[in-house]
Amino acid sequence: MIDRKDKFDGHPDHAHSLKEMIGMRVCDKDGQEAGTLTDIIVDMNNGMVAYLELTVDGRRFAVPFGSVELDDRRHALVLKMHRSTFQRSPGREQ
């Protein structure tokens, strides 16, 4: 177990368990709450996070990991896009 006080690659605050991230709030680029993080998809070939599954307005979307930033201050993920992008995109119903 990693103690949060220990150095993890020089950036202890950038290491988060998947358990603590699932259910995290998701905000859009404008700071408006958009939904929640419901799953994290890992590419088993390289061990890297490939996609995040977000639930927005009752629909699920897979977005590339690089399309969000973690805002530790608000304990939320922030999309690098506007909410309207999701409203136009096909998503899966829950």
Side-chain angles (χ1 to χ4, degrees), residues 21-71:
M21 292 183 71
I22 299 292
M24 191 177 272
R25 292 180 312 122
V26 177
C27 298
D28 67 9
K29 189 175 184 176
D30 299 320
Q32 301 296 313
E33 190 159 336
T36 58
L37 175 65
T38 51
D39 205 353
I40 298 172
I41 296 89
V42 176
D43 181 337
M44 296 306 288
N45 289 324
N46 62 20
M48 304 289 288
V49 173
Y51 292 93
L52 300 177
E53 183 182 85
L54 310 178
T55 299
V56 178
D57 296 330
R59 298 185 316 176
R60 295 185 306 187
F61 299 90
V63 298
F65 182 65
S67 66
V68 299
E69 294 176 342
L70 182 62
D71 184 340

Side-chain angles (χ1 to χ4, degrees), residues 8-27:
F8 182 79
D9 210 19
H11 303 285
D13 292 334
H14 289 103
H16 294 276
S17 77
L18 299 180
K19 234 197 292 193
E20 68 184 25
M21 292 183 71
I22 299 292
M24 191 177 272
R25 292 180 312 122
V26 177
C27 298

